[in-house]
Each structure stands twice: as C-alpha cells, then as structure tokens.
Amino acid sequence: MANTLSKLNQDFPILNQTVNDEQLVYLDNAATAQRPNQVIEALTHFYQTDNANVHRGVHTLAERATADYEEARRKLQAFINAPEPEEVIFTKGCTDGLNLVASTYGEANIKAGDEIVISIMEHHSNLIPWQQLAIRKHATLKYIHLTDDGELDLDETAQLITDKTKIVAVAHASNVMGTVNPVKQLAALAHQHGAIFVGDGAQSVPHMKVDVQDLDVDFYAFSGHKMMGPTGIGVLYGKRELLEAMPPYQFGGEMIGFVHQFDSTWAELPYKFEAGTQNIAGAVGLGAAADYLTNIGMDQVQAHEQAIVNYLLPKLEAIDGVTVYGPQDPAKHTGVIAFNLNDLHPHDVATALDMEGVAVRAGHHCAQPLMEYLGLTATARASFYLYNTQADADRLLEALQETKEFFNHGTSETK
Ligand code: PMP
C-alpha cells in the first residue's frame, strides 16, 4: 500500500508520544485532526510579527495582518476552486456556516408548505438548523433514507425532491459510516427542481479534492480543524448571486456600509457576513494547512487513506464479533469506520483500546437520528488521516483482539 506519507510523522510532534505506555495511534481524525509544525509555526509567526486587527488600520502591522488574512482567503479559494475570493466567507467552522445559510437564505426564502430535503445520515450540524427552520416557517422536512449498505437511497431521493423542494442539504461524506455521497448528482437533481444544494464538507474537504464549481453546489461549509488548521475557523463557500441577495447573519463592526441612527447599509462580500473581529490568526493557520495539503496533493491524501481502508476493512469484518456499519465496498469509504464489538458498549471498547494506546471515539457521533435509524445507541469509530499508516491499522486490529480476549476472560493475561 501507499506508505509514502508515513514519514510525515515528523511534522506532527504530538503523534510521537506514548499513551498508557504504548506508542500513540491517533484514530480520532473525524473529530479533529492533528496540526503539523507548519501550521503551528504560521500561527506563531503571525502573532510574533504581524498581529493587528484587519481592514481598519493604516499602520504597517494592520496592513500586514490584512494582507495575511486576505491571502489566506485566496488560498482557501484555490483549495476548493471557488471562482472568486469574495465567495469565501470565514466562519467559526462548519456548524457556523450551515447555521448562517439556514438563518439568512432560509429565513428569506422558505415559506409555509415548502420542502427541505436532508438525509438521515446528517450530523446534527446539518440537521438541526434545517429542522428548526422548518418549524419556524411551517415548512416540511424530508429525509433521504439508506440502502442496507449505508448509502443514500437514490430511488427514494428522486421521489423526494420535487418542485416543492427549496433546499437540499446533504453531507459529502458521513462522519459515522464514511459513506461518500454523490453530491454532484444531488446538486443537479436539486437544480432541476429549482432548489438550491447545500453541501456539508466537514468530512470531505480534508480528505479528497473538492471542486465547488465542478460539483455545482450553491453553498458548501467546512471546518479548519478537521483539515489540520486551528479550531474556531472554517469556511462557507456560496455563489455570489445568492450571497448578495441574502440578508446579513450578524450585525456589528466590519459588516457595514453606512450606519445611520435608524437604518444601515451593508458591506460588500465577503465582509457583509464577517461581523466583528474575526479569527485572523486562525485564518492564517488554515491557509498554512491548505498549503500543506496542496503540497502533498489531495489525490495522494485520498489514495493513502483508501489504501489503509482497503487493507483494514476486510480484516476488521473478519474478526468474530465485530460489526462494521456502512459501505462494504472499501472504494465507497473515506477513512472513517464505525463498528461495534459483540454487545460491548462502545465506550468500554474505546477505553480498552486507549489502554493499548489506540485513540478512537465512541458515542452517537452527533448523529442521533442515524443511530435511531440503524437501531443503535452508539458505535466505536476509527478515523484515519494522511499521517496514519498500515501499521496503525494493524495496531487497531491487535488492540481489538486484546479487548475481545480481555472481556471474554476478564483479563488479557489469561489468553
Ligand atoms: N458535519 C459533519 C459531517 C461533521 O463531521 C462535523 C464535525 N464532527 C460537523 C458537521 C460540525 O463541524 P464543527 O463542529 O467543526 O462545526
């Protein structure tokens, strides 16, 4: 398998540590990725040399900080191939971006009787904003369900999206089952019916080449911290004509044209949607993360993770007592794998794996409707990234065997 990325480890000092006397294997990347030195250094450099508030100042540091911030925007524009930098809005993260669209576009365009279509595999961040919008507007929220293989039921989708549909909002990749959804096809279907398509890119942008023009999505949100950038920064891409027609999200400094006592006008894009002092250093750090990924190449990142999944998935499924949720076909998977071990509670499994130095997540993964649909309360979840290796997959497999034996016999020493 492609192991060429394994030497990247040296860029991630955090990975070079022991946990519970075992070498750490970090498999919780779907929750947050680790940051390479290059991102940490970009943050430090910004704070040590250029830090000032942006846009308002004429002094040298303010000009430098502004240049850094706007350069970061252009890096993110290039990273997702957005047509214009003004279509790249800096947000707090994916959740913030999706709420922005629901609160502004949704508020302005949804009326009683309209329909919003999402999928049952959505993260709460791409579910609750639409659910609450539907409640506020007396609109109808409809769900696309899944095939037995954890993929969207496209026959049902074709029935669900009608001329009543105004918004279709679906994750590009599931944060639970790793399923990659056919976003380009869904966006085209939405457009055929005069609806807009909102993509949740939290689990796709860090792991595959995303081209918003090719996908022809109307909005697309993602988080910096899952692509090795800082926390508290993310991007909302939106098509210019939609962003221009939308009311602002929040009011305050930076987002205004003129403020009079009893009315105000708004700044041009993207500032209309960036009220108040933004996470300037975060944007700079995110720009550095985009550079880091671009230097490696997103195709290579994807191929690397794919190779690990190709290797791991059949071996994981072969362990007696392990149930894997999601596509059986490794090619349809990102590096996110949800599983359970016998009837053990996934928290116990995750705790036992941690004793072996292997960090995985357990719980409902902010996807309670999906859990309910699958008839589960929780799963364990291993999620891989570019610095993980086949050896990490082996460590997970070994640690699972240990865990199984421990719970079978009361102690791992009895085997
Ligand atoms: N959507 C998906 C698919 C996610 O995995 C996540 C994060 N787990 C989010 C949205 C929300 O991202 P954030 O918490 O960074 O806003």
Side-chain angles (χ1 to χ4, degrees):
M1 63 171 283
N3 231 350
T4 46
L5 297 189
S6 54
K7 57 182 173 305
L8 292 182
N9 233 314
Q10 68 212 20
D11 291 338
F12 298 84
I14 195 168
L15 297 174
N16 300 319
Q17 63 174 298
T18 54
V19 166
N20 296 320
D21 296 328
E22 301 282 354
Q23 171 61 41
L24 169 66
V25 175
Y26 184 77
L27 301 181
D28 194 17
N29 295 286
T32 200
Q34 299 301 347
R35 284 59 161 159
N37 283 331
Q38 288 81 342
V39 168
I40 297 165
E41 279 157 16
L43 288 170
T44 309
H45 181 266
F46 177 80
Y47 280 125
Q48 287 182 340
T49 61
D50 293 353
N51 179 50
N53 212 332
V54 294
H55 299 141
R56 285 189 289 261
V58 288
H59 62 82
T60 302
L61 288 195
E63 282 176 0
R64 271 200 240 142
T66 303
D68 293 345
Y69 185 64
E70 294 306 329
E71 189 189 346
R73 195 189 308 277
R74 285 190 296 276
K75 286 179 182 178
L76 271 301
Q77 176 203 351
F79 194 66
I80 56 168
N81 195 30
E84 302 176 68
E86 293 80 10
E87 296 174 314
V88 172
I89 315 288
F90 281 124
T91 62
K92 284 192 293 180
C94 189
T95 304
D96 193 32
L98 294 166
N99 274 280
L100 190 162
V101 181
S103 305
T104 57
Y105 183 90
E107 208 56 45
N109 292 285
I110 296 296
K111 54 183 190 331
D114 286 346
E115 295 183 359
I116 301 167
V117 174
I118 65 173
S119 91
I120 197 72
M121 70 168 81
E122 298 312 308
H123 186 282
H124 295 162
S125 294
N126 197 34
L127 190 157
I128 310 173
W130 308 117
Q131 178 195 69
Q132 295 301 309
L133 175 66
I135 292 170
R136 282 199 304 279
K137 296 288 184 170
H138 303 286
T140 306
L141 185 63
K142 292 192 159 175
Y143 283 88
I144 305 168
H145 297 94
L146 310 180
T147 64
D148 291 344
D149 224 11
E151 294 175 45
L152 295 181
D153 182 338
L154 294 179
D155 293 335
E156 187 193 27
T157 309
Q159 304 290 320
L160 278 180
I161 300 177
T162 70
D163 290 351
K164 285 187 173 174
T165 311
K166 294 293 176 292
I167 298 173
V168 178
V170 174
H172 199 162
S174 160
N175 68 307
V176 180
M177 301 173 298
T179 319
V180 180
N181 292 321
V183 157
K184 188 173 175 171
Q185 203 179 325
L186 294 171
L189 196 59
H191 295 155
Q192 273 167 30
H193 292 279
I196 62 150
F197 182 86
V198 183
D200 172 350
Q203 299 293 344
S204 48
V205 172
H207 303 283
M208 62 184 78
K209 176 84 199 126
V210 169
D211 178 334
V212 291
Q213 293 188 64
D214 177 54
L215 296 173
D216 197 21
V217 287
D218 299 289
F219 295 99
Y220 198 89
F222 56 98
S223 291
H225 67 98
K226 294 186 202 275
M227 56 178 276
M228 307 184 302
T231 46
I233 186 78
V235 165
L236 174 70
Y237 159 76
K239 285 183 179 165
R240 177 184 274 279
E241 64 274 18
L242 295 173
L243 291 170
E244 276 179 346
M246 278 153 53
Y249 182 34
Q250 292 181 322
F251 301 97
E254 296 282 342
M255 54 73 66
I256 52 96
F258 281 98
V259 180
H260 308 286
Q261 280 190 55
F262 299 107
D263 63 1
S264 300
T265 59
W266 316 131
E268 297 294 309
L269 295 175
Y271 311 114
K272 178 172 128 184
F273 293 105
E274 294 183 357
T277 299
Q278 299 296 295
N279 184 354
I280 306 162
V284 171
L286 181 53
D291 282 345
Y292 189 89
L293 286 165
T294 303
N295 284 340
I296 291 166
M298 290 311 292
D299 288 341
Q300 208 185 334
V301 170
Q302 189 176 13
H304 178 80
E305 292 173 26
Q306 190 68 65
I308 295 177
V309 174
N310 289 348
Y311 173 79
L312 174 64
L313 206 55
K315 291 190 164 50
L316 196 58
E317 281 168 345
I319 299 177
D320 191 31
V322 167
T323 310
V324 178
Y325 306 96
Q328 302 282 306
D329 181 355
K332 294 183 175 168
H333 245 279
T334 62
V336 176
I337 301 175
F339 62 93
N340 274 324
L341 178 57
N342 294 320
D343 53 1
L344 293 176
H345 195 283
H347 282 148
D348 293 337
V349 174
T351 304
L353 293 178
D354 186 57
M355 294 312 294
E356 306 290 331
V358 179
V360 302
R361 188 150 291 253
H364 55 64
H365 314 296
C366 300
Q368 284 180 344
L370 173 65
M371 291 292 130
E372 201 178 6
Y373 178 75
L374 295 174
L376 302 168
T377 49
T379 75
R381 179 186 71 186
S383 51
F384 290 77
Y385 207 5
L386 73 178
Y387 36 69
N388 293 122
T389 61
Q390 183 174 313
D392 293 345
D394 284 331
R395 285 279 309 280
L396 171 65
L397 292 165
E398 286 158 20
L400 269 172
Q401 288 292 2
E402 293 277 327
T403 303
K404 236 180 97 170
E405 281 154 26
F406 177 83
F407 282 102
N408 276 346
H409 304 295
T411 162
S412 56
E413 308 304 325
T414 58
K415 64 183 175 195

